Amino acid sequence: MFTPEMLESIKKVEATRAERMSTEPRRMTAEEKSELLKAYHPDYRAEGFKEIKIGPNKGQKAPVELTNLIHSNSRLLNENIDLTKIDYDVDVLVIGGGGAGCSAAIEAHEAGANVMIVTKLRIGDANTMMAEGGIQAADKPNDSPVQHYLDAFGGGHFAARPELLRRLVMEAPDAIQWLNKLGVMFDKSEDGTMVTTHGGGTSRKRMHACKDYSGAEIMRTVRDEVLNRQIPVVEFTSAVELIKDDKGQVAGAVLLNMETDDYLVARAKTVIIATGGAGRLHYQNFPTSNHYGATADGLILGYRAGAPLLYQDTIQYHPTGVAYPSQIFGALVTEKVRSLGAMLVNKDGEAYAHPLETRDVSASAIIRECANGKGVDTPLGSGVWLDTPMIEILGGEGTIEKRIPAMLRMYLNYGIDMRKVPILVYPTLHYQNGGLEIGGEGYTKAIPNLLVAGEAVGGIHGRNRLMGNSLLDIIVFGRNAGKAAARRAAETELGEMNLDHIKAYAEELAAADCAEEGVSPLLLPKYARHER
């Protein structure tokens, strides 16, 4: 499977392994990290960003691809939508069928609300499924939510909204117990104690995992709970515009049946946006670990209706995406591989950075090595080695099969045994750090009765997210959004519904002379077989 050049480089990795195992690379200083990020992180590439010309974030920058969608008109601008014909009438409408959406729906249903989920693919087709390494919670005797807060606040460059981060860490232990009671099969020792490990940027072992398919296991469990409760789920149907009423409240959404092209009207007293990330926009032409539907739809829906964005200019590039073989280019290689002992090594066998630096620092260091000729050439670019045989040496034979079996199988499918040879990695577009701005209970800043949960939120993690805090935030903020939405729905009276904001947005685009030719939200990647 490997080229002669790769095999020659592997020999250097093997020759330096013993020395590297005895002298782990030191942590970078704050000054070194800052210099590295400014020189190599994609967020600092001016050509990757564009000024937003209209709306709440006018004058700020965002990735070019996202800005182009912001500068696009609504799909409904020239459509005649009859808002008096109600197809669905509910208390709480949840847009998105991933972990955040399902958690919200479960709690809204538990509170007695009439709740419905609408999702453009199938329930569970979400980035939640793609998460591998684990979920953080400070629930061990040597740890505390305060320590968790300090790790996450520093890892996010001290930019997280304190009220959001405080809620994340304080409610983390309860989130783990909630999932455990629902049936999530966490890794446990023989006496029932949960097994925890380190992640990049953590000062304590607080990563709870289910082998290396933690997200899939969590998604399986919350999806089953939704179905067992018989909560209505409308699949293959996209929300293409929010509806407001004459009081300025959100009042539902216009939906598009992806199979028939029919538009449908959903009236709701509260709406929760849980649409996930933006990886399939492929910012700066990076590969992505994201699922097929991750096209920033929720950000567009909320922004066009008047909700501001926060940190929309910050993206997380997971340092270890697959660089080779080409068939799985960009797929996620969980951080857990490094927490189990694998080192990042350049083509000369040099460990150039500590294996558990924060994700933005690790990604920048890999990009630096490749830019400076220290990477290994591949058919699609270059990468560095992740020295996975170290896991078996440090943890004993069988550790990889026991702790990261899905990763092992993925590589074995292509003739690569990561127990015996290192694997090639390069950063992959992984997480949307920025999103719609919310307050502590999940409500947007500008639109009454509109809530946001999960990856579509900005501010929870600041400008960089630590491993394991995304699975945590979809549970914490998903549950809270569901509870809050149910409470608000019980006291809400809707006025006359309208789509006036669509026309106003089009007029603003025209006045700024920045309207793009396409429409938004995008719904599916540009390379989809069935474009809309």
Side-chain angles (χ1 to χ4, degrees):
M1 280 298 296
F2 292 113
T3 65
E5 292 78 11
M6 291 176 186
L7 291 172
E8 186 62 31
S9 181
I10 288 175
K11 290 179 182 178
K12 295 179 181 179
V13 173
E14 293 171 341
T16 61
R17 187 175 291 149
E19 181 182 352
R20 286 186 284 105
M21 291 180 69
S22 63
T23 55
E24 188 174 69
R26 67 173 178 83
R27 297 274 189 176
M28 294 184 193
T29 66
E31 292 75 16
E32 287 172 331
K33 291 178 182 179
S34 180
E35 291 177 5
L36 177 65
L37 291 171
K38 290 177 181 178
Y40 293 101
H41 196 277
D43 281 358
Y44 289 87
R45 296 176 184 169
E47 66 273 16
F49 298 86
K50 187 175 177 180
E51 183 182 345
I52 300 172
K53 296 295 182 67
I54 67 165
N57 295 84
K58 181 179 178 180
Q60 298 178 17
K61 68 176 183 177
V64 169
E65 297 82 355
L66 178 61
T67 305
N68 288 342
L69 293 179
I70 289 173
H71 288 173
S72 299
N73 269 306
S74 170
R75 294 171 171 273
L76 303 183
L77 182 59
N78 297 312
E79 296 283 348
N80 183 22
I81 306 297
D82 184 0
L83 297 182
T84 65
K85 181 180 178 296
I86 309 298
D87 297 283
Y88 304 101
D89 198 353
V90 297
D91 296 327
V92 180
L93 175 65
V94 180
I95 304 174
C102 287
S103 297
I106 291 166
E107 290 292 9
H109 185 267
E110 181 70 15
N114 175 16
V115 58
M116 182 181 86
I117 294 174
V118 59
T119 180
K120 68 179 171 185
L121 299 175
R122 301 166 300 179
I123 183 173
D125 284 339
N127 281 349
T128 305
M129 282 291 296
M130 322 299 281
E132 297 170 346
I135 175 171
Q136 284 202 49
D139 58 0
K140 292 292 180 72
N142 70 333
D143 203 358
S144 73
V146 172
Q147 194 64 45
H148 188 177
Y149 183 98
L150 292 173
D151 289 347
F153 199 49
H157 302 289
F158 308 98
R161 288 293 168 90
E163 63 172 331
L164 302 183
L165 184 54
R166 186 183 305 115
R167 189 178 289 261
L168 181 77
V169 301
M170 292 298 291
E171 299 181 18
D174 182 63
I176 294 294
Q177 288 307 312
W178 185 72
L179 290 170
N180 191 49
K181 290 175 182 177
L182 284 180
V184 171
M185 301 294 288
F186 286 110
D187 295 341
K188 298 176 182 177
S189 58
E190 292 184 2
D191 65 359
T193 302
M194 290 197 186
V195 175
T196 53
T197 59
H198 271 299
T202 62
S203 60
R204 301 288 188 276
K205 292 182 178 181
R206 69 173 69 97
M207 202 69 55
H208 302 64
C210 314
K211 301 291 189 291
D212 59 343
Y213 40 81
S214 303
E217 172 63 7
I218 289 172
M219 190 69 247
R220 175 194 69 82
T221 306
V222 295
R223 178 187 60 211
D224 285 355
E225 183 68 12
V226 166
L227 299 178
N228 289 340
R229 287 172 174 263
Q230 298 184 326
I231 296 171
V233 180
V234 182
E235 298 182 312
F236 300 110
T237 301
S238 296
V240 294
E241 208 65 61
L242 295 177
I243 300 170
K244 300 170 84 172
D245 69 7
D246 53 9
K247 303 175 186 179
Q249 304 173 121
V250 71
V254 177
L255 313 177
L256 172 65
N257 185 308
M258 301 287 283
E259 297 175 302
T260 67
D261 282 344
D262 291 327
Y263 287 113
L264 306 164
V265 175
R267 181 167 60 188
K269 295 177 180 177
T270 54
V271 175
I272 301 172
I273 290 176
T275 51
R280 290 290 165 173
L281 298 183
H282 293 285
Y283 297 142
Q284 301 187 43
N285 293 316
F286 268 80
T288 186
S289 63
N290 284 193
H291 82 105
Y292 200 65
T295 50
D297 294 357
L299 273 58
I300 300 302
L301 296 180
Y303 193 80
R304 186 177 287 130
L309 300 170
L310 180 65
Y311 302 148
Q312 71 282 350
D313 59 332
T314 64
I315 310 298
Q316 181 166 95
Y317 298 83
H318 196 293
T320 55
V322 176
Y324 182 84
S326 303
Q327 296 95 321
I328 49 174
F329 182 58
L332 184 63
V333 176
T334 172
E335 195 165 306
K336 190 173 182 179
V337 177
R338 284 175 284 141
S339 70
L340 291 173
M343 277 188 180
L344 289 165
V345 185
N346 64 25
K347 73 173 186 180
D348 295 324
E350 299 166 338
Y352 54 87
H354 191 281
L356 289 178
E357 294 284 6
T358 55
R359 287 180 171 178
D360 54 352
V361 171
S362 292
S364 299
I366 293 173
I367 293 170
R368 178 194 63 194
E369 294 300 296
C370 293
N372 292 341
K374 293 285 189 175
V376 180
D377 290 337
T378 71
L380 295 176
S382 62
V384 298
W385 294 110
L386 190 51
D387 195 4
T388 49
M390 290 180 65
I391 297 173
E392 298 279 285
I393 298 170
L394 293 168
E397 187 176 346
T399 300
I400 287 178
E401 187 169 7
K402 180 181 179 181
R403 303 294 298 276
I404 46 174
M407 192 64 50
L408 174 63
R409 288 195 299 270
M410 180 175 76
Y411 276 98
L412 286 176
N413 286 337
Y414 299 97
I416 297 174
D417 189 341
M418 63 187 297
R419 296 168 296 190
K420 300 177 181 178
V421 294
I423 56 177
L424 281 169
V425 295
Y426 190 79
T428 185
L429 181 53
H430 184 60
Y431 190 81
Q432 179 179 274
N433 287 325
L436 293 164
E437 185 176 2
I438 64 169
E441 284 200 310
Y443 289 101
T444 58
K445 295 288 188 178
I447 307 172
N449 298 3
L450 178 63
L451 302 95
V452 192
E455 196 173 343
V457 173
I460 299 173
H461 309 287
R463 292 185 169 273
N464 180 59
R465 178 180 62 78
L466 298 189
M467 171 193 180
N469 279 347
S470 60
L471 283 179
L472 178 58
D473 90 49
I474 65 173
I475 303 302
V476 170
F477 287 91
R479 293 180 69 196
N480 286 340
K483 294 172 186 176
R487 287 194 300 269
R488 181 67 62 84
E491 58 190 37
T492 294
E493 292 291 334
L494 292 177
E496 184 177 347
M497 298 194 300
N498 65 73
L499 292 169
D500 294 349
H501 65 283
I502 295 176
K503 183 178 179 182
Y505 197 85
E507 291 172 351
E508 193 174 355
L509 282 172
D513 194 26
C514 63
E516 295 287 332
E517 290 185 3
V519 294
S520 63
L522 184 62
L523 303 185
L524 294 174
K526 291 183 177 179
Y527 46 78
R529 293 181 181 178
H530 187 41
E531 293 188 25
R532 294 185 180 279

